[in-house]
Amino acid sequence: MKYILLLTLLVLSLNASEAITALDTQDKNQKQKVTLGFGPYVQTQPYKGTDPLLVPSPVIFFDNGLFYVRWTRAGMYFLGNKGKEFSWGLSLTAQPRVYGYKAEDSDYLEGMDTRETTFEGGLAFSATYNDTYIETMLLTDIFARYDSWLFKTEIGDEFALGNFTFYPSIILVYESDEFVNYYYGVQTHEATQNRAEFTPGAGWQFGAQTYIEYPFTDRLSALVNLRIDRVPTSAMNSPLVDESFIYSGLVSLIYTFEY
């Protein structure tokens, strides 16, 4: 599966320049909006005795009908149409995967091999009608950490309440056997009297999130992201897991301009 997807990505990349000319994009003279920001990102870990992750994160939002960046995920359209009310696109995309742990992260994990963060790449389909959107992605592990794939779908909307703008969405992710086993399994050589060998199977991860934006000026705003994900049922019985939910969020100042 992984090699088929990588071959598809290569073929699409080689033909992207020709396919882009077929896109019905917006007027070239129309100004493009870019949002830039930076802030702390925090994510709890489901593993026993571990502290939450806290990392600085860039925030970028940009979409000109050819290329896009959505927070830390980037992509390039190779087919689609960008209209005033309805837009859709097929794209190549890539994003970081902020998962994993080291044995020194907690006393309970002592003797475990490191589970590393990675980068994922693949295909994405997105469609937007007015303020409602849906996006589906098939991603593979570029650095061969979990050496497999996952499937993600997100459906969201936008609405305003006073000066606040909300962007809520629900997220459904199918994680393969290899993914779940890599991040939640216990191999034979890692097992102890208090930590049994464990090999989970594939599972579904359910999540919900919202962005909240509050403007200070026409260009400067505060952006907050709040998200909750439920650990796949197949991983619930892992001796490593202490929490059923992963909580994450971001607080950032963002600056929006046109060029």
Side-chain angles (χ1 to χ4, degrees):
M1 177 65 189
K2 173 184 175 182
Y3 298 104
I4 294 175
L5 181 55
L6 289 176
L7 180 60
T8 302
L9 295 180
L10 177 60
V11 172
L12 291 174
S13 296
L14 292 175
N15 291 279
S17 60
E18 296 180 5
I20 285 174
T21 62
L23 286 171
D24 181 16
T25 60
Q26 67 268 40
D27 189 335
K28 299 298 183 180
N29 296 322
Q30 182 177 342
K31 291 185 177 181
Q32 305 299 325
K33 184 165 68 173
V34 181
T35 297
L36 301 176
F38 192 83
Y41 171 78
V42 62
Q43 176 182 293
T44 65
Q45 299 279 45
Y47 309 113
K48 292 181 179 178
T50 55
D51 295 324
L53 293 174
L54 179 61
V55 296
S57 173
V59 178
I60 305 172
F61 290 99
F62 169 75
D63 191 331
N64 68 355
L66 298 177
F67 302 97
Y68 64 84
V69 182
R70 297 168 188 162
W71 192 352
T72 56
R73 182 168 67 85
M76 178 183 68
Y77 295 108
F78 59 87
L79 189 64
N81 178 64
K82 189 173 179 66
K84 291 183 178 180
E85 290 188 354
F86 177 72
S87 299
W88 68 275
L90 285 166
S91 64
L92 307 178
T93 191
Q95 67 176 18
R97 165 65 59 178
V98 188
Y99 268 32
Y101 59 82
K102 297 179 180 179
E104 57 265 29
D105 286 349
S106 78
D107 292 339
Y108 187 82
L109 295 174
E110 184 177 352
M112 295 292 298
D113 294 339
T114 296
R115 302 303 198 265
E116 298 184 86
T117 59
T118 189
F119 224 81
E120 298 164 339
L123 302 174
F125 169 79
S126 59
T128 303
Y129 179 73
N130 292 327
D131 295 329
T132 303
Y133 71 90
I134 182 171
E135 185 166 46
T136 297
M137 294 185 287
L138 179 63
L139 301 172
T140 189
D141 179 9
I142 295 175
F143 294 150
R145 309 295 197 209
Y146 59 85
D147 201 19
S148 186
W149 58 276
L150 57 83
F151 177 81
K152 175 184 177 182
T153 295
E154 181 175 357
I155 301 174
D157 205 345
E158 174 187 341
F159 68 91
L161 184 62
N163 290 330
F164 291 90
T165 304
F166 295 84
Y167 306 86
S169 64
I170 56 174
I171 303 163
L172 181 62
V173 184
Y174 180 79
E175 299 172 345
S176 65
D177 292 338
E178 293 84 356
F179 181 98
V180 179
N181 188 38
Y182 181 76
Y183 286 111
Y184 300 105
V186 179
Q187 301 179 46
T188 302
H189 70 275
E190 298 171 322
T192 66
Q193 290 183 343
N194 298 320
R195 188 175 61 216
E197 181 179 354
F198 183 73
T199 305
W204 291 92
Q205 179 171 294
F206 300 90
Q209 73 169 350
T210 187
Y211 291 93
I212 306 170
E213 184 177 353
Y214 181 85
F216 297 120
T217 69
D218 290 341
R219 295 189 176 186
L220 186 65
S221 303
L223 181 70
V224 175
N225 173 263
L226 302 173
R227 177 168 172 170
I228 179 173
D229 291 278
R230 187 177 185 274
V231 172
T233 302
S234 57
M236 290 292 189
N237 293 325
S238 171
L240 306 179
V241 172
D242 195 34
E243 299 289 342
S244 300
F245 294 91
I246 299 172
Y247 302 91
S248 59
L250 169 85
V251 178
S252 174
L253 283 176
I254 57 174
Y255 182 79
T256 302
F257 64 94
E258 295 182 339
Y259 73 95

